[in-house]
Amino acid sequence: MKLAIVGGGPAGLYLSILLKRQDPAHEITVYERNPEGSTYGWGVTYWAGLLDKLRAGDPESAAAVAEASVTWTDGVAIVRDERTVHRGDAGFGIGRRRMLSLLADRAEELGVRVEFEHDIASPEAPELADADLVVAADGVNSVLREAHPEHFGSAVTAGRNQYIWLGTTKVFDSFSFAFKETEHGWIWCYAYGFSGERSTCVVECSRETWTGLGLDTLGEADSLHLLEKLFHDLLDGHELIGRDRADDAAQWLTFRTLTNRVWHHGNLVLLGDAAHTTHYSIGAGTTLALEDALALADALRAHTDLDTALTTYGKRRRAELVSAQSAARYSAQWYENLPRYMRLEPARMFALLGQRHSPLLPHIPPQLYYRIDRAAEQLEPLRRLKRWLGPRVARAVHGRR
């Protein structure tokens, strides 16, 4: 087969590796519009289960990613200047630029052609004309998908909060949170290490807090200075790092959740953020994109008919994504309704932060939910009732709207 993969993110590059390993005779080109080594974001997170899947797909790239990653086991939160710790499973962080470099090197080693600074602006681009399969791995704003909006049935839902991706020179050895109350409302930060020199910081707040603090009008340098003052105890005097455009407006965003009714059209198939997005607060975006690549490679290996393979892939991944999309939706809503939980003492608030994926939590007073959750840890019947009741309460409430 001749394959054109549009977009050199983790999903597109990893798919090229998997398919080239399946059949070295495949002619595969990855087209990436940005220069080599240029990428947005700082670090990405994943958990141990992903490494097991990557090892099965390509042991060499999995080993390289694992070696370049840092790990943590605990969660730490600072709430109203009080620090609390939550024990959790091991998590991993790796610089996005480092991950892309490792995957690109592995792809080229296997014979994939990776072309940087090569923009594909239309499905009619001559580079795609004779491809047997075109993979749209060109992100949430996919130009290939948007050429057929009525077919894919794309739907986008915008969140209420404002957020910004930043870096810092402080190296965190745990996944850390800080929640600060201002006269204009709450503002908070998620922080995690991704190398021995840098960490990612994501700052989020309601639109009202964002405008009240003046963050909607400040340039990037002034925004970073204000945020450094707000989160001084989290950062321990380290600086925040933006885009090195001090006079520009800071790049605050509103998260957009994307879904698509179908994932392929003819020989064009969606992959990663072009097919779906899940709120960053569950830390699953890169994992889900790489799992897309694994599923698409499996389907192409199992079915010689292209339409059957692409249909199988889309059905499988849409079904597998249901739980992650539900968790992401509830997680985003937890943060959008943060004041509801901030009356709790810090340790209890942090415990409910870990329960933010629950469909039951939004419908029960936080103090009562905390007591039920603690009791459920000791009583299996109550634990089963809690799992059974959550989706039913959520459906009943949704049905009345």
Side-chain angles (χ1 to χ4, degrees), residues 211-277:
T211 56
L213 291 173
L215 291 165
D216 58 326
T217 59
L218 292 177
E220 180 161 287
D222 290 335
S223 293
L224 297 187
H225 182 63
L226 174 57
L227 295 174
E228 286 167 355
K229 288 170 59 179
L230 285 169
F231 298 108
H232 64 92
D233 49 356
L234 178 74
L235 295 169
D236 291 329
H238 287 262
E239 65 176 354
L240 289 170
I241 307 167
R243 297 170 299 154
D244 297 325
R245 299 176 185 175
D247 296 330
D248 288 0
Q251 197 172 18
W252 290 88
L253 303 167
T254 300
F255 191 83
R256 295 183 301 151
T257 299
L258 168 72
T259 59
N260 285 279
R261 186 180 62 249
V262 296
W263 284 20
H264 83 281
H265 179 56
N267 71 334
L268 172 65
V269 64
L270 307 181
L271 189 76
D273 283 356
H276 56 86
T277 60

Side-chain angles (χ1 to χ4, degrees), residues 108-243:
E108 291 179 327
E109 177 186 300
L110 291 170
V112 175
R113 193 168 72 218
V114 181
E115 296 197 4
F116 294 99
E117 298 183 75
H118 195 137
D119 192 22
I120 302 293
S122 162
E124 283 72 47
E127 297 92 334
L128 311 183
D130 59 347
D132 299 300
L133 177 63
V134 177
V135 180
D138 51 344
V140 65
N141 297 312
S142 170
V143 296
L144 300 185
R145 185 196 66 235
E146 286 304 298
H148 309 282
E150 71 294 335
H151 175 81
F152 288 110
S154 305
V156 176
T157 304
R160 298 205 310 262
N161 288 347
Q162 303 290 133
Y163 72 98
I164 186 169
W165 286 92
L166 301 169
T168 179
T169 53
K170 176 171 179 180
V171 179
F172 290 91
D173 58 7
S174 60
F175 203 108
S176 301
F177 302 83
F179 298 85
K180 298 295 178 178
E181 189 173 20
T182 75
E183 61 180 314
H184 304 289
W186 288 90
I187 186 168
W188 54 96
C189 176
Y190 323 73
Y192 55 89
F194 64 82
S195 74
E197 297 83 34
R198 296 286 171 90
S199 297
T200 296
C201 289
V202 184
V203 178
E204 183 179 348
C205 61
S206 70
R207 188 172 183 84
E208 292 74 19
T209 302
W210 182 63
T211 56
L213 291 173
L215 291 165
D216 58 326
T217 59
L218 292 177
E220 180 161 287
D222 290 335
S223 293
L224 297 187
H225 182 63
L226 174 57
L227 295 174
E228 286 167 355
K229 288 170 59 179
L230 285 169
F231 298 108
H232 64 92
D233 49 356
L234 178 74
L235 295 169
D236 291 329
H238 287 262
E239 65 176 354
L240 289 170
I241 307 167
R243 297 170 299 154

Side-chain angles (χ1 to χ4, degrees), residues 67-88:
E67 185 177 355
S69 298
V70 298
T71 186
W72 64 85
T73 54
D74 296 335
V76 175
I78 299 172
V79 185
R80 293 193 189 92
D81 303 322
E82 182 176 333
R83 187 179 296 263
T84 184
V85 177
H86 177 74
R87 305 300 175 188

Side-chain angles (χ1 to χ4, degrees), residues 289-351:
L290 292 171
E291 289 175 346
D292 286 352
L294 286 160
L296 180 53
D298 284 348
L300 290 169
R301 181 176 57 241
H303 302 280
T304 55
D305 178 72
L306 184 62
D307 188 71
T308 300
L310 301 184
T311 299
T312 300
Y313 155 71
K315 287 182 177 178
R316 171 185 166 183
R317 287 304 289 151
R318 287 193 298 276
E320 290 174 342
L321 280 164
V322 169
S323 61
Q325 289 171 331
S326 174
R329 182 173 66 254
Y330 284 113
S331 181
Q333 290 171 358
W334 192 94
Y335 286 107
E336 290 174 349
N337 294 287
L338 184 78
R340 181 176 190 259
Y341 305 100
M342 300 312 291
R343 291 188 294 273
L344 298 172
E345 61 180 79
R348 293 189 175 193
M349 187 285 297
F350 199 23

